[in-house]
Amino acid sequence: AKEAGRGSYSLYLPTMEGHAPAVLQQEHLLRRAVREQQFVLHYQPQVRVDTGRLHGFEALVRWQHPEQGLVGPDHFIPLAESRGLITAIGRWVLREACRQLRAWHDEGLPQVQVSVNLSAIEFRQRDVVADIEHTLRECGLAPRFLEIEITETALMQHADQTRETLAALRALGVSVTVDDFGTGYSSLAYLKRYPLDKIKVDRSFVIDTPQDADDVAIVTAVVQLARSLQLQSVAEGVENPEQLALLRGLGCDLAQGYGIARPMPAAQALEWMRQQAR
Ligand code: C2E
Ligand code: CA
Ligand code: CA
Ligand code: CA
């Protein structure tokens, strides 16, 4: 794989399906990665659209592959999910994100939040909320600083259990964002039924704004929908000032994207925070 610089990665992997030797080899390496914790989190800032001030970071996992360098989540999360490794990786991610945030708070940095992605499989674990509570306590981090991102598709399965889990998270004080909004089921009823905090407009709708009138209409509708349901709106994939201006006009609450900052290692995120504060 070639190092693409700027903390990104590029890697070709064969399809994750089936039992091709290359996939088995990758599974073997991923098991070892879990044992040896060959992972790292990169942090991407989320800012308030109206003031430009930092709200928090989304924690995004990367695999420090022994031969291939930094491997992005799209290249191993599906394999981890199909091979029963996602829970172990998710636990590491949660603990590391909470530990890092607590360390930043201890350094007297702004009391920012961290968002952690939970895959559907993790969200379905019976003990997921107890696990989160335990990790927060262990890291000495108040629940209000943690945010969970769950895809719309994951929220649509097993309505009763979903409602229970979301209610338990709410009771704990952890907030929940619907990720990739608009790319999953078209039913909107769940927005009303579940205790949720934020809707994240998928980046596929943001990327061609403001040029693409259809996408502008979609982003506008989602931001308005969020507001009428008293949810906060987050736009991801914000790559330029024109998009930020559009979102400001629409009254979107939070924005995230390469145009603001790329996901970066903790040390760089710390530097970024210090620069913002100056
Ligand atoms: P996501 O949750 O939708 O995360 C946003 C993705 O968009 C990230 O890709 C981020 O680097 C990328 N991105 C951010 N700003 C821009 C932009 O302005 N333009 C473009 N084109 N892309 C942007 P990344 O880090 O490769 O993550 C991909 C996906 O992997 C995530 O999508 C999420 O679904 C999953 N993922 C990442 N970390 C974790 C994790 O710890 N656990 C689980 N279960 N899934 C994770
Ligand atoms: Ca996310
Ligand atoms: Ca997303
Ligand atoms: Ca995604």
Side-chain angles (χ1 to χ4, degrees), residues 138-234:
E138 225 177 42
C139 298
L141 188 70
R144 70 174 185 282
F145 294 118
L146 179 65
E147 202 166 289
I148 298 294
E149 298 196 5
I150 308 167
T151 65
E152 182 175 41
T153 311
L155 286 171
M156 294 302 296
Q157 307 153 1
H158 313 283
D160 287 344
Q161 197 200 346
T162 295
R163 199 188 348 259
E164 247 172 66
T165 303
L166 292 174
L169 286 172
R170 163 79 47 100
L172 178 60
V174 169
S175 55
V176 177
T177 299
V178 184
D179 204 353
D180 300 349
F181 184 79
T183 61
Y185 288 74
S186 55
S187 163
L188 295 174
Y190 75 93
L191 290 176
K192 208 176 87 176
R193 276 204 313 264
Y194 295 155
L196 297 163
D197 301 283
K198 293 193 182 77
I199 295 179
K200 200 170 205 181
V201 188
D202 191 67
R203 69 172 182 272
S204 60
F205 301 122
V206 176
I207 226 92
D208 291 328
T209 61
Q211 287 79 20
D212 187 309
D214 294 334
D215 285 336
V216 171
I218 292 170
V219 173
T220 304
V222 175
V223 170
Q224 280 171 0
L225 176 70
R227 188 182 304 123
S228 14
L229 293 168
Q230 289 171 323
L231 300 168
Q232 288 203 293
S233 48
V234 191

Side-chain angles (χ1 to χ4, degrees), residues 46 58-60 115-118 149-151 177 179-180 200 236 256:
Q46 300 176 329
E58 179 173 8
L60 296 156
S115 307
V116 170
N117 293 282
L118 231 58
E149 298 196 5
I150 308 167
T151 65
T177 299
D179 204 353
D180 300 349
K200 200 170 205 181
E236 66 177 1
Q256 177 183 353

Side-chain angles (χ1 to χ4, degrees), residues 13-265:
L13 285 181
T15 166
M16 295 305 181
E17 307 305 322
H19 303 276
V23 178
L24 289 178
Q25 169 66 2
Q26 200 67 359
E27 177 185 353
H28 169 74
L29 289 176
L30 190 55
R31 281 188 193 285
R32 198 171 75 195
V34 169
R35 273 199 312 275
E36 297 179 3
Q37 309 196 331
Q38 296 168 353
F39 301 102
V40 65
L41 292 183
H42 282 192
Y43 298 87
Q44 187 175 34
Q46 300 176 329
V47 300
R48 290 184 205 291
V49 171
D50 52 359
T51 63
R53 293 185 57 138
L54 180 64
H55 165 80
F57 290 96
E58 179 173 8
L60 296 156
V61 71
R62 279 93 181 84
W63 174 10
Q64 294 175 298
H65 195 287
E67 290 126 34
Q68 292 164 332
L70 216 51
V71 176
D74 288 336
H75 296 284
F76 66 91
I77 294 286
L79 183 67
E81 286 177 334
S82 70
R83 300 306 200 269
L85 296 169
I86 189 63
T87 308
I89 296 175
R91 284 211 176 96
W92 181 87
V93 167
L94 182 68
R95 175 157 296 113
E96 177 60 17
C98 292
R99 189 201 60 73
Q100 183 61 72
L101 205 70
R102 177 61 204 259
W104 283 337
H105 288 179
D106 285 349
E107 286 193 58
L109 286 148
Q111 305 255 301
V112 294
Q113 286 205 325
V114 69
S115 307
V116 170
N117 293 282
L118 231 58
S119 79
I121 294 168
E122 295 173 81
F123 188 65
R124 298 282 152 237
Q125 303 275 321
R126 279 280 158 207
D127 51 358
V128 63
V129 181
D131 249 27
I132 291 172
E133 189 175 8
H134 178 77
T135 304
L136 284 167
R137 193 172 313 131
E138 225 177 42
C139 298
L141 188 70
R144 70 174 185 282
F145 294 118
L146 179 65
E147 202 166 289
I148 298 294
E149 298 196 5
I150 308 167
T151 65
E152 182 175 41
T153 311
L155 286 171
M156 294 302 296
Q157 307 153 1
H158 313 283
D160 287 344
Q161 197 200 346
T162 295
R163 199 188 348 259
E164 247 172 66
T165 303
L166 292 174
L169 286 172
R170 163 79 47 100
L172 178 60
V174 169
S175 55
V176 177
T177 299
V178 184
D179 204 353
D180 300 349
F181 184 79
T183 61
Y185 288 74
S186 55
S187 163
L188 295 174
Y190 75 93
L191 290 176
K192 208 176 87 176
R193 276 204 313 264
Y194 295 155
L196 297 163
D197 301 283
K198 293 193 182 77
I199 295 179
K200 200 170 205 181
V201 188
D202 191 67
R203 69 172 182 272
S204 60
F205 301 122
V206 176
I207 226 92
D208 291 328
T209 61
Q211 287 79 20
D212 187 309
D214 294 334
D215 285 336
V216 171
I218 292 170
V219 173
T220 304
V222 175
V223 170
Q224 280 171 0
L225 176 70
R227 188 182 304 123
S228 14
L229 293 168
Q230 289 171 323
L231 300 168
Q232 288 203 293
S233 48
V234 191
E236 66 177 1
V238 177
E239 295 193 346
N240 58 56
E242 292 74 33
Q243 291 166 342
L244 202 55
L246 171 74
L247 295 166
R248 194 171 296 123
L250 295 176
C252 181
D253 296 297
L254 300 167
Q256 177 183 353
Y258 295 168
I260 296 154
R262 289 186 171 255
M264 47 202 161

